[in-house]
């Protein structure tokens, strides 16, 4: 037993006599149910007609509306083919009457009403199209298909578009659909006959639904949202539709597909088609250029529909007019297009859900979301009352006083109060949404003169750059230019900043998207000026990867660095949404670049110091290796089978192993594997274990180093593996241990002090191997060693390094006596001599004290100097990509370098560096001399 209609409100009868006439037909009703029927029939001729035709059905339906709705659905599914037209029309009468009365009574809210209408529409479409497909299959008009294909409509899918796709059908709505069929279900020689059959089925379905008979109609059906409807058939092959969207698809079509979903026929084929369109609908970058497109659409609609002009409630179009429903939809959908490519949580089909999702991610303030949501519901309820009067597909408020009075009666509102409320809501919607779009009238671009400090010759060549050759790109840039030049003029060295900006603009391959991004987010101009005026590395990188600016306005760009686990989860989530190997590699590059850029900006802005930046760069690289390795392995296994034995581990060496790299560092790695007792892999093309792991390693290195559409991840250096370039690219665990014990040079033992496992291939199979490698390293390094055997070798290494790499000047903090590499060498020696297992310089210098080789003061001086050198080195890579040249550094770069190191000016910093180099060189030389390990060539 169900529940009787829960009446929350009642309509009034505009014509009480008509209301009483309707009540006579349903004498069993009383109380509020009787008042509901009288009020509805007395204000809506359409509802009175439905009550008259379905009088015997009304009372039972109001006694249990949910059961009545279920019976309507069951009756439609049970219709025989020859009863479709009358049966669907009776079901539509009942559904329209039930939903209308439940709506007027407040028993169903807006979304319950629109969902009931939408579910019924897709049910009718599904039943009608499958009946037509069944008839064609019986007549052998769809070659190769059998009765088993009826359930999937022979591969024909109906995509619900617009309000139908979003479960938002209005009371007298048309239904917008796109009909596509899966051409792969047919032999190529049968394609044209199959297409002819699909077109016939689609046309007949439309007739079944939309033809008006003595029983009425079901739904007016509109198929004009398909590609190029003037010249294409009503049912298209999916391949042809996909080609169209890839080459000719427009912004309004992207917006339409936000709400698209398969609703009838072959649902799986429809879902697969929408998946192929995902890159078309949801751009990977923040698409602020869509704002102008949406604004242009609004203006065209206003012009074509005559809905512009001043706001007057009588005759106002509640859907397309100023402040109407479409304004809220455009406001929501445009923001979804902007950001939905990067955030899937913003891809809601419904308007209310979309607004709430945007608010939850701070794309829309919560108060504006709440206001627009309330206005949307109110607008839609007014729209429904307008349509209930005569079942007319109109959205205009009536012009006459009687017409408006009928609408007011259906809402139990005073006519004047309703008019005032509707006008206020329309004005508020217009005010809330209009500022997001461009002004109604084109803005005249003022050709402001450039500030005198800027070189006119540089500005004159900008129109020749690729990013400014398109008319649209140039138009947006001209609007930005006055503000851009004004901010340039306020920098410490405007001429230098202009040259840097010029280089950035010259390197841009296109400008519309980026310039639109700046126009919508003016604060990004400050960041751009800061970058181009300070960091040539970041500026050059930005010109090739301008889409990384998207990340800046993503909400968390300036938040603290996440934990390693969260960083890995972020990349895994990105990879999970890609379908094939190549797109996953590109997605990894895109993700890594955004985080890499984030580190650089944080360092540039002083949010982190050089040590923090180095640790973050290293952790980012580790996550990339760890998450990309399983992807590479899975791809490799398709051909050669899963990894034999215990798998492999990636061992980080050098600076990566020590957890400190800079913006341009190579990655030093070794791959170690354990085949166990297995000799070969088990796959379509099996390989012996040694070539298997060698090729797997090469595949991983290629994945990291290959230049693809999104550029390159890292350069990789494997020269620290056993036997260097002469050894195999992958080393077995047994060989690695044997080599370290018996054949390795002292310098290789020193390199081992920085070794650290960063990835297991695959996880968790190779975790045991990773643990064994770590245990071997700790045991091996913990063994006692003679200073007499190690320190002379260290002295020789210093001599070789001095001969091979001469410092380029005082700003080369890395190479030379007393500089970074020299201190790193001493720290590694400290690990060996102290039986310690630490990886970084601090741990090694602590070891030099623990073993009694250096005193605490000397170790502290080396540590302090190393931190200074690291700051200079890290800043240099970010500013110029190479060693610093004080003559060409520029004011912005000089300020950043001094800020990073804590010195007032470059002269003071240079003096401190020179003094520290000498001090550290003296400490190291004296320490070696005390042990009799010297080399006078240094």
């Amino acid at each position: 037993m169900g529940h009787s209609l829960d009446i929350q409100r009642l309509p009034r009868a505009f014509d009480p006599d008509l209301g009483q006439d309707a009540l006579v037909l349903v004498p069993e009703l009383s109380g509020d149910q009787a008042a509901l029927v009288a009020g509805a029939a007395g204000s809506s001729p359409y509802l009175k007609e439905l009550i008259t035709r379905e009088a015997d059905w009304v009372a039972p339906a109001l006694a249990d509306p949910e059961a009545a709705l279920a019976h309507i659905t069951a009756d439609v599914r049970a219709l025989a083919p020859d009863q479709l037209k009358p049966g669907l029309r009776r079901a539509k009468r009942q559904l329209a009457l039930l939903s209308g009365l439940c709506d007027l009574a407040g028993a169903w809210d807006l979304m319950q009403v629109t969902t009931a209408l939408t579910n019924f529409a897709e049910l009718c479409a599904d039943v009608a199209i499958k009946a037509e497909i069944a008839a064609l299959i019986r007549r052998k008009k769809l070659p190769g298909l059998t009765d088993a294909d009826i359930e999937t409509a022979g591969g024909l899918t109906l995509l619900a578009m617009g309000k139908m796709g979003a479960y938002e059908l209005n009371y007298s709505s048309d239904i917008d659909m796109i009909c596509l069929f899966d051409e792969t279900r047919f032999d190529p020689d049968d394609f044209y006959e199959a297409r002819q059959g699909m077109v016939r089925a689609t046309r007949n379905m439309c007739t079944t639904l939309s033809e008006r008979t003595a029983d009425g109609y079901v739904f007016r059906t509109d198929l004009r949202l398909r590609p190029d409807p003037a010249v294409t058939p009503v049912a298209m092959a999916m391949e042809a539709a996909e080609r169209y969207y890839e080459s000719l698809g427009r912004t309004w079509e992207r917006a339409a597909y936000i709400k698209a979903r398969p609703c009838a026929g072959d649902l799986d084929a429809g879902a697969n088609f929408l998946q192929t369109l995902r890159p078309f609908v949801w751009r990977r970058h923040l698409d602020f250029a869509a704002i102008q497109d949406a604004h242009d659409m609004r203006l065209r609609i206003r012009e074509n529909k005559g809905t512009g002009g001043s706001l007057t409630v009588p005759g106002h179009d509640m859907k397309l007019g100023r402040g109407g429903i479409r304004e809220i939809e455009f406001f929501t959908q445009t923001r979804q297009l902007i950001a939905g490519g990067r955030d899937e949580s913003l891809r809601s089909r419904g308007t209310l859900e979309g607004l709430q999702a945007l608010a939850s991610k701070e794309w829309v303030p919560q108060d504006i979301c709440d206001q627009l949501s309330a206005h949307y519901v109110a607008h839609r309820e007014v729209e429904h009352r307008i349509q209930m009067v005569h079942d007319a597909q109109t959205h205009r408020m009536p012009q006459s006083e009687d017409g408006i009075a009928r609408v007011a009666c259906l809402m139990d509102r005073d006519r004047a109060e309703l008019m005032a409320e509707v006008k206020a809501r329309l004005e508020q919607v217009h005010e809330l949404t209009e500022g997001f779009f461009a002004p109604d009238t084109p803005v005249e671009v003022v050709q402001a003169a450039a500030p005198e400090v800027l070189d006119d010759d540089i500005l004159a060549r900008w129109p020749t750059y690729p990013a400014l050759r398109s008319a649209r790109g140039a138009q947006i840039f001209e609007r930005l230019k006055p503000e851009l030049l004004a901010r340039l003029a306020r920098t410490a060295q405007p001429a230098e900043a202009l040259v840097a900006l010029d280089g950035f603009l010259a390197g841009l391959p296109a400008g519309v998207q980026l310039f639109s991004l700046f126009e919508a987010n003016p604060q990004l101009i400050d960041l751009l000026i800061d970058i181009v005026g300070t960091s040539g590395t970041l500026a050059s990188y930005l010109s090739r990867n301008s889409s990384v600016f998207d990340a800046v306005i993503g909400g968390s760009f300036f938040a603290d660095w996440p934990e390693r686990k969260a960083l890995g989860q972020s990349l895994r989530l990105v990879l999970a949404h890609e379908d094939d190997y190549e797109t996953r590699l590109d997605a990894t590059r895109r993700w890594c670049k955004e985080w890499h850029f984030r580190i650089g900006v944080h360092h540039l802005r002083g949010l982190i110091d050089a040590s923090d930046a180095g640790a973050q760069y290293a952790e980012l690289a580790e996550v990339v290796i760890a998450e990309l390795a399983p992807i590479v392995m899975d791809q490799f296994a398709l051909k050669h089978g899963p990894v034999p034995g215990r798998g492999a581990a990636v061992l980080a060496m050098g600076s990566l192993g020590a957890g400190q790299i800079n913006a341009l560092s190579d990655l030093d790695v070794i791959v170690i594997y354990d085949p166990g007792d297995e000799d070969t892999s088990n796959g379509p093309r099996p390989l012996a274990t040694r070539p298997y792991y060698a090729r797997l390693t090469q595949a991983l290195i290629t994945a990291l180093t290959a230049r693809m559409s999104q550029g390159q991840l890292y350069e990789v250096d494997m020269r620290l593996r056993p036997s260097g370039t002469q050894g195999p690219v992958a080393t077995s665990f047994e060989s690695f241990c044997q080599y370290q014990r018996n054949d390795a040079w002292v310098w290789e033992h020193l390199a081992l002090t920085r070794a650290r496992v960063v990835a297991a291939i695959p996880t968790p199979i190779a975790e045991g191997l990773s643990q064994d490698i770590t245990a071997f390293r700790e045991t091996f390094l913990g063994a006692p060693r003679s200073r007499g055997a190690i320190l002379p070798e260290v002295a020789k290494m210093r001599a070789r390094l001095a001969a091979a790499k001469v410092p380029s000047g005082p700003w080369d903090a890395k190479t030379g006596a007393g500089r970074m590499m020299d201190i790193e060498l001493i720290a590694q020696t400290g690990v060996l001599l102290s039986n310690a297992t630490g990886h970084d310089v601090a741990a090694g210098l602590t070891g030099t004290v623990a073993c009694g080789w250096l005193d605490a003061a000397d170790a502290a001086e080396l540590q302090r100097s190393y931190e200074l050198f690291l700051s200079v080195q890290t800043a240099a890579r970010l500013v110029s990509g190479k060693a610093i040249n004080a003559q060409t550094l520029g004011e912005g770069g000089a300020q950043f370098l001094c800020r990073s190191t804590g010195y007032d000016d470059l002269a003071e910093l240079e003096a401190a560096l020179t003094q520290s180099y000498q001090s550290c060189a003296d400490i190291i030389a004296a320490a070696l001399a005390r042990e009799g390990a010297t080399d006078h060539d240094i």
Side-chain angles (χ1 to χ4, degrees), residues 798-820:
R798 291 187 76 225
R800 286 196 295 270
L801 287 173
K805 296 185 177 181
V806 178
S808 59
W811 298 105
D812 183 354
K814 181 176 182 180
T815 306
R819 307 191 189 201
M820 287 181 69

Side-chain angles (χ1 to χ4, degrees), residues 19-319:
Q20 290 302 311
D21 289 347
L23 274 183
V24 171
L25 301 174
V26 282
E28 59 266 56
L29 294 182
S30 61
D32 282 350
Q33 290 190 357
L36 172 64
V37 168
S43 293
S44 165
Y46 173 62
L47 288 177
K48 181 178 186 302
E49 178 191 358
L50 294 182
I51 293 168
T52 301
R53 300 192 66 168
E54 301 294 334
D56 294 339
W57 179 82
V58 173
L62 295 182
D64 191 347
E66 299 301 327
L69 183 61
H71 286 148
I72 293 171
T73 299
D75 290 346
V76 168
R77 292 198 179 279
L79 286 172
D82 62 346
Q83 291 300 308
L84 268 185
K85 284 190 177 181
L88 289 178
R89 281 153 179 77
R90 184 182 185 203
K92 173 60 184 299
R93 292 197 302 270
Q94 293 176 347
L95 189 281
L97 180 55
L98 179 66
S99 61
L101 293 176
C102 288
D103 189 357
L104 292 173
W108 289 358
D109 63 23
L110 174 66
M111 292 312 300
Q112 286 177 290
V113 173
T114 61
T115 298
L117 291 167
T118 303
N119 286 338
F120 179 73
E122 65 184 37
L123 172 63
C124 293
D126 190 60
V127 169
I129 195 61
K130 287 177 180 175
E132 294 300 328
I133 293 294
L136 290 173
I137 289 176
R138 286 194 300 270
R139 294 166 53 201
K140 308 296 183 185
K141 296 297 184 180
L142 290 174
L145 300 189
T146 67
D147 287 349
D149 296 300
I150 295 174
E151 184 57 31
T152 58
L156 179 65
T157 188
L158 276 57
L159 298 180
M161 307 297 289
K163 286 184 168 58
M164 185 178 182
Y167 290 95
E168 294 174 346
L169 281 184
N170 57 51
Y171 190 73
S172 296
S173 187
D174 294 352
I175 55 175
D176 293 297
M177 296 187 293
I178 294 177
C179 301
L180 306 169
F181 67 93
D182 181 2
E183 70 284 347
T184 65
R185 296 275 288 265
F186 302 95
D187 187 283
D189 292 338
D190 296 328
F191 171 77
Y192 292 104
E193 183 180 357
R195 184 178 68 175
Q196 187 176 18
M198 292 298 183
V199 168
R200 183 180 299 115
T202 301
R203 285 175 175 163
N204 290 345
M205 174 204 68
C206 291
T207 299
T208 297
L209 297 179
S210 58
E211 184 180 45
R212 189 176 290 274
T213 70
D215 295 310
Y217 72 102
V218 189
F219 287 100
R220 293 172 293 268
T221 305
D222 192 338
L223 305 181
R224 290 174 296 175
L225 288 180
R226 69 184 185 274
D228 207 354
V231 297
T232 56
V234 292
M236 292 181 64
M238 291 180 178
E239 182 186 16
E242 184 179 351
R243 286 200 308 269
Y244 168 85
Y245 291 120
E246 285 179 350
S247 58
L248 300 172
R250 291 159 288 181
T251 298
W252 74 262
E253 288 169 309
R254 292 176 56 211
Y257 268 94
I258 290 177
K259 297 185 176 184
R261 63 181 177 84
C263 69
D266 192 336
L267 300 182
D268 288 340
N272 291 336
F273 176 77
L274 291 181
Q275 184 70 11
T276 65
L277 284 197
R278 191 179 66 176
F280 163 68
V281 181
W282 304 110
R283 301 289 167 80
R284 297 186 186 280
H285 50 73
L286 292 175
D287 189 13
F288 280 91
I291 296 175
Q292 184 65 45
D293 290 334
H295 175 62
D296 292 343
M297 282 190 282
R298 294 164 70 243
L299 295 184
R300 285 196 297 271
I301 289 172
R302 288 179 182 178
E303 181 179 351
N304 294 337
K305 300 292 185 179
T307 54
S310 59
L311 202 163
T312 305
V313 174
H316 189 79
D317 193 315
M318 294 298 297
K319 177 181 178 181

Side-chain angles (χ1 to χ4, degrees), residues 561-721:
W561 184 255
E563 295 181 355
R564 163 73 181 269
K565 182 179 179 181
L567 199 62
Q569 288 174 339
S570 171
L571 179 52
R572 283 196 296 276
L573 182 63
V574 168
L575 295 175
H577 292 134
E578 300 301 335
D579 301 323
D580 58 62
Y581 185 63
E582 296 294 329
T583 58
R584 285 174 178 169
L585 295 186
D586 257 342
T588 303
R589 282 155 172 73
R590 188 168 54 253
W591 179 88
C592 181
K593 285 179 178 180
E594 290 184 359
W595 282 97
H596 202 274
F597 176 68
R598 181 187 189 276
I599 298 168
V601 171
H602 279 222
H603 189 196
L604 193 69
R605 289 278 174 104
L607 300 177
I608 56 176
D609 60 20
S611 179
D612 293 331
Q616 291 177 14
Y617 283 129
E619 190 165 58
L620 177 63
E622 293 168 29
V623 167
V624 167
I625 295 172
E627 301 302 330
L628 200 55
I631 303 295
V632 174
M633 185 210 69
D634 289 344
Q635 180 71 14
F636 190 79
L638 293 176
K639 184 180 293 185
H640 300 295
V643 294
R646 291 203 295 166
V650 179
L651 202 61
M653 307 292 288
S655 297
L656 180 61
Q660 280 284 336
I661 63 176
N662 60 57
L664 299 178
S665 289
D666 295 348
L667 305 184
D668 295 298
V669 297
I670 296 175
V671 175
I672 300 174
Y673 67 92
D674 184 3
D677 297 329
E678 298 184 43
D679 297 324
T680 63
S681 65
N682 182 17
R685 295 172 60 181
L687 291 171
T689 53
R690 181 170 177 175
Y692 180 98
Y693 282 106
R695 293 190 190 180
L696 176 60
T697 300
Q698 290 168 339
L700 176 60
I701 301 308
T702 299
L704 291 169
T705 61
R707 295 190 178 276
M708 302 178 67
S709 63
Q710 295 291 327
Q712 182 185 38
L713 280 170
Y714 296 99
E715 291 286 354
V716 174
D717 190 338
M718 301 194 72
R719 289 176 295 178
L720 291 178
R721 67 185 186 270

Side-chain angles (χ1 to χ4, degrees), residues 332 336 346 348-359:
T332 305
Q336 287 177 292
L346 302 180
S348 304
R349 292 188 177 95
T351 302
L352 296 177
E353 294 92 331
L355 276 170
Q356 191 56 56
L358 289 164

Side-chain angles (χ1 to χ4, degrees), residues 172-503:
S172 296
S173 187
D174 294 352
I175 55 175
D176 293 297
M177 296 187 293
I178 294 177
C179 301
L180 306 169
F181 67 93
D182 181 2
E183 70 284 347
T184 65
R185 296 275 288 265
F186 302 95
D187 187 283
D189 292 338
D190 296 328
F191 171 77
Y192 292 104
E193 183 180 357
R195 184 178 68 175
Q196 187 176 18
M198 292 298 183
V199 168
R200 183 180 299 115
T202 301
R203 285 175 175 163
N204 290 345
M205 174 204 68
C206 291
T207 299
T208 297
L209 297 179
S210 58
E211 184 180 45
R212 189 176 290 274
T213 70
D215 295 310
Y217 72 102
V218 189
F219 287 100
R220 293 172 293 268
T221 305
D222 192 338
L223 305 181
R224 290 174 296 175
L225 288 180
R226 69 184 185 274
D228 207 354
V231 297
T232 56
V234 292
M236 292 181 64
M238 291 180 178
E239 182 186 16
E242 184 179 351
R243 286 200 308 269
Y244 168 85
Y245 291 120
E246 285 179 350
S247 58
L248 300 172
R250 291 159 288 181
T251 298
W252 74 262
E253 288 169 309
R254 292 176 56 211
Y257 268 94
I258 290 177
K259 297 185 176 184
R261 63 181 177 84
C263 69
D266 192 336
L267 300 182
D268 288 340
N272 291 336
F273 176 77
L274 291 181
Q275 184 70 11
T276 65
L277 284 197
R278 191 179 66 176
F280 163 68
V281 181
W282 304 110
R283 301 289 167 80
R284 297 186 186 280
H285 50 73
L286 292 175
D287 189 13
F288 280 91
I291 296 175
Q292 184 65 45
D293 290 334
H295 175 62
D296 292 343
M297 282 190 282
R298 294 164 70 243
L299 295 184
R300 285 196 297 271
I301 289 172
R302 288 179 182 178
E303 181 179 351
N304 294 337
K305 300 292 185 179
T307 54
S310 59
L311 202 163
T312 305
V313 174
H316 189 79
D317 193 315
M318 294 298 297
K319 177 181 178 181
L320 302 178
R322 186 181 295 265
I325 294 167
R326 184 56 58 84
E327 299 284 320
I328 302 174
E329 292 174 340
F330 269 21
F331 178 89
T332 305
Q333 290 173 2
T334 304
R335 279 175 162 79
Q336 287 177 292
L337 285 179
I338 289 169
R342 293 172 53 86
D343 188 344
E344 289 201 18
S345 69
L346 302 180
R347 299 180 187 179
S348 304
R349 292 188 177 95
T351 302
L352 296 177
E353 294 92 331
L355 276 170
Q356 191 56 56
L358 289 164
S360 69
K361 294 302 179 70
E362 300 182 352
W363 284 96
V364 174
Q366 186 64 52
D367 62 326
I368 291 181
C369 165
D370 294 341
Q371 291 178 63
L372 289 178
S373 296
H375 293 323
Y376 179 80
V377 171
H379 281 6
R380 291 298 308 274
E381 289 186 344
V382 170
E383 175 190 48
H384 281 191
R385 304 305 179 269
I386 294 170
Q387 294 176 347
M388 281 178 186
V389 175
H390 294 294
D391 186 33
Q393 175 59 355
T394 180
H395 311 276
R396 289 186 179 273
M397 286 290 287
Q399 291 275 13
S400 67
E401 289 190 6
D402 283 356
I404 293 176
R406 284 182 183 274
V407 173
C409 285
L410 286 173
M411 302 182 73
D412 192 24
R413 298 289 303 280
D414 175 78
R415 185 181 68 84
E417 288 180 358
L418 177 63
M419 294 263 289
E421 179 186 313
V422 169
K423 184 174 184 179
R425 288 188 181 278
L426 291 168
E427 289 174 341
Q428 289 169 23
V429 169
H430 180 71
E431 181 179 349
L432 289 170
T433 60
E434 190 71 8
F436 174 62
F437 299 102
D440 279 355
T441 56
V443 176
E444 181 181 355
V445 176
V446 179
Q447 299 291 340
E452 293 182 3
V453 294
L454 302 180
D455 187 341
D456 287 331
D457 290 339
I458 293 178
L459 304 182
R461 62 180 180 241
W462 283 359
T464 67
Y465 293 161
L468 292 160
R469 285 176 189 161
S470 74
R472 189 173 178 190
Q475 182 184 40
I476 301 171
F477 184 76
E478 285 301 319
R479 294 200 295 263
L480 291 172
K481 191 174 175 181
E483 182 66 18
L484 198 61
L485 297 181
R487 297 193 190 196
L488 271 177
R490 294 196 295 268
T491 60
Q493 293 291 325
E496 290 180 5
L498 176 62
V499 171
L501 178 63
D502 178 64

